[in-house]
């Protein structure tokens, strides 16, 4: 913006110089011819005065052009320097973003390997696919957003519900997502996505008396008292005393990613199972 403003300033300055030169030249020609007509006594004297007048005009305008062009060149140099500084700053920013992308990819690959190891002894291919899809969704939302470091919570919750419904919808499960209008940093978004995915997988497996029963799951993300709350609730049979005290693989994974996001896993019964965690808003 600063460089663009300087370019506009140069263009306006050039227009003023050209206008001033045109006006000065016209006034000089008209007035000098009349004055010479008054003071010249004959044709030869008029011709001499015309020659002197022309030489004086060339010398004066050359001097003016020298000073004006010198000023313009100084301004152009400043614009070029500012452009180079902006280009260098943009290049450094892109290098930082590229390093950050490589770092995120490395971390996400490590998470995928860990998830595959956890699911290796189970028939959990669909669950693993849903977790990987939730991680991919984070990056999809990132490159389609204005920034590269935050996601809108309402969009994230809604899209997560859509992705997970593709995995579990055929099992008689409905999944909805709702979020308030605030932003989640990308380092929080990946563990949140895995947490929600695992919570939905647990609900599909354990919340119903039989696999044919319908099940409704609701995902919510809200900002309250400078804390972000991520919650998944279902309308199934609830946790029960044994489930609330047990630490199965799914619960362990949810606790781990909740801790990674800066929170602690919480569970309760409330018309079904409710799992959630909170972390301080940045």
């Amino acid at each position: 913006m600063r460089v663009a403003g300087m370019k506009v300033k140069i263009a306006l300055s050039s227009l003023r110089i050209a206008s001033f030169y045109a006006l000065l030249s016209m006034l000089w020609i008209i007035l000098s011819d009349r004055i010479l007509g008054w003071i010249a006594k004959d044709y030869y004297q008029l011709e001499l005065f015309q020659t002197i007048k022309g030489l004086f005009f060339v010398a004066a305008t050359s001097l003016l052009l020298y000073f004006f062009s010198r000023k313009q060149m100084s301004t152009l140099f400043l614009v070029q320097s500012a452009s180079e500084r902006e280009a260098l700053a943009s290049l450094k920013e892109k290098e930082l973003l590229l390093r950050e992308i490589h770092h995120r990819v490395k971390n996400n690959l490590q998470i995928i390997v860990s998830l595959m190891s956890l699911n290796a002894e189970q028939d959990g291919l669909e669950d693993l696919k849903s977790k990987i899809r939730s991680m991919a969704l984070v990056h999809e939302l990132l490159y389609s957003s204005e920034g590269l470091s935050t996601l809108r919570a309402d969009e994230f919750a809604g899209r997560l519900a859509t992705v997970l419904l593709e995995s579990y919808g055929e099992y008689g499960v409905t999944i909805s997502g709702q979020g308030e209008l605030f932003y989640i940093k990308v380092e929080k978004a990946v563990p949140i996505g895995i947490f929600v995915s695992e919570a939905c997988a647990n609900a599909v497996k354990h919340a119903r008396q039989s696999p044919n029963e319908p099940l409704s799951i609701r995902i919510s993300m809200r900002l309250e008292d400078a804390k972000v709350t991520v919650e998944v609730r279902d309308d199934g049979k609830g946790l029960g005393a044994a489930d609330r005290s047990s630490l199965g693989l799914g619960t362990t994974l949810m606790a781990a990613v909740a801790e990674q996001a800066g929170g602690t896993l919480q569970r309760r019964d409330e018309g079904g199972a409710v799992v959630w965690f909170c972390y301080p808003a940045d």
Side-chain angles (χ1 to χ4, degrees):
M1 292 296 294
R2 181 182 175 185
V3 173
M6 293 182 72
K7 289 181 178 179
V8 172
K9 185 177 179 181
I10 290 174
L12 292 175
S13 178
S14 300
L15 181 61
R16 285 195 297 268
I17 291 172
S19 301
F20 174 75
Y21 178 78
L23 179 62
L24 180 64
S25 300
M26 287 187 290
L27 289 174
W28 172 264
I29 291 171
I30 294 171
L31 295 177
S32 62
D33 284 347
R34 290 188 177 184
I35 293 173
L36 290 180
W38 292 336
I39 63 176
K41 296 180 180 180
D42 53 42
Y43 174 77
Y44 295 104
Q45 194 175 38
L46 178 63
E47 185 177 10
L48 176 62
F49 288 161
Q50 289 281 13
T51 302
I52 295 173
K53 180 194 76 169
L55 293 174
F56 175 78
F57 181 77
V58 169
T61 53
S62 297
L63 189 62
L64 286 173
L65 286 174
Y66 168 75
F67 284 112
F68 283 134
S69 62
R70 184 176 178 180
K71 182 179 178 181
Q72 291 294 90
M73 289 301 294
S74 298
T75 307
L76 285 173
F77 177 75
L78 291 175
V79 171
Q80 184 178 4
S81 299
S83 299
E84 290 175 353
R85 286 195 298 270
E86 287 188 3
L88 184 60
S90 177
L91 179 61
K92 289 182 178 178
E93 182 182 2
K94 287 180 173 61
E95 289 176 350
L96 288 173
L97 287 174
L98 185 59
R99 283 197 292 270
E100 178 65 19
I101 288 170
H102 286 311
H103 181 67
R104 291 175 188 172
V105 170
K106 182 199 73 172
N107 288 345
N108 288 343
L109 288 174
Q110 289 176 340
I111 291 172
I112 290 172
V113 170
S114 299
L115 292 173
M116 292 178 70
S117 299
L118 288 171
N119 286 272
E121 299 178 358
Q122 304 180 30
D123 185 17
L125 181 59
E126 195 62 45
D127 295 345
L128 178 60
K129 286 165 60 178
S130 68
K131 295 180 184 69
I132 295 174
R133 285 172 183 162
S134 69
M135 294 169 62
L137 175 63
V138 171
H139 295 284
E140 179 185 342
L141 292 175
L142 276 176
Y143 69 67
S144 62
S145 65
E146 294 181 358
L148 292 173
S149 59
T150 58
L151 302 176
R152 277 181 50 166
D154 54 344
E155 292 182 356
F156 189 29
R159 292 289 297 278
L160 261 179
T162 301
V163 167
L164 294 171
L165 189 60
E166 292 175 359
S167 297
Y168 302 118
E170 62 185 72
Y171 299 104
V173 177
T174 59
I175 303 176
S176 61
Q178 181 179 0
E180 297 177 356
L181 182 53
F182 64 95
Y183 289 88
I184 297 173
K185 288 189 174 182
V186 65
E187 58 266 25
K188 307 288 188 182
V190 171
I192 287 173
I194 297 174
F195 175 88
V196 170
S197 176
E198 184 61 31
C200 290
N202 275 2
V204 171
K205 291 176 183 177
H206 306 299
R208 297 177 289 184
Q209 298 288 352
S210 68
N212 297 324
E213 287 184 5
L215 180 69
S216 177
I217 301 174
R218 190 173 68 202
I219 303 163
S220 67
M221 300 179 191
R222 55 186 183 272
L223 180 62
E224 298 174 323
D225 300 326
K227 289 185 178 181
V228 175
T229 300
V230 180
E231 181 184 274
V232 179
R233 63 170 62 225
D234 63 62
D235 61 354
K237 64 182 181 180
L239 295 169
D243 289 335
R244 281 196 298 272
S245 60
S246 66
L247 289 176
L249 179 61
T251 303
T252 302
L253 177 58
M254 285 190 290
V257 293
E259 183 178 353
Q260 182 183 351
T264 303
L265 173 65
Q266 304 287 334
R267 299 185 294 168
R268 71 174 186 270
D269 281 323
E270 189 179 295
V274 183
V275 294
W276 81 98
F277 72 90
C278 303
Y279 67 88
D282 297 322

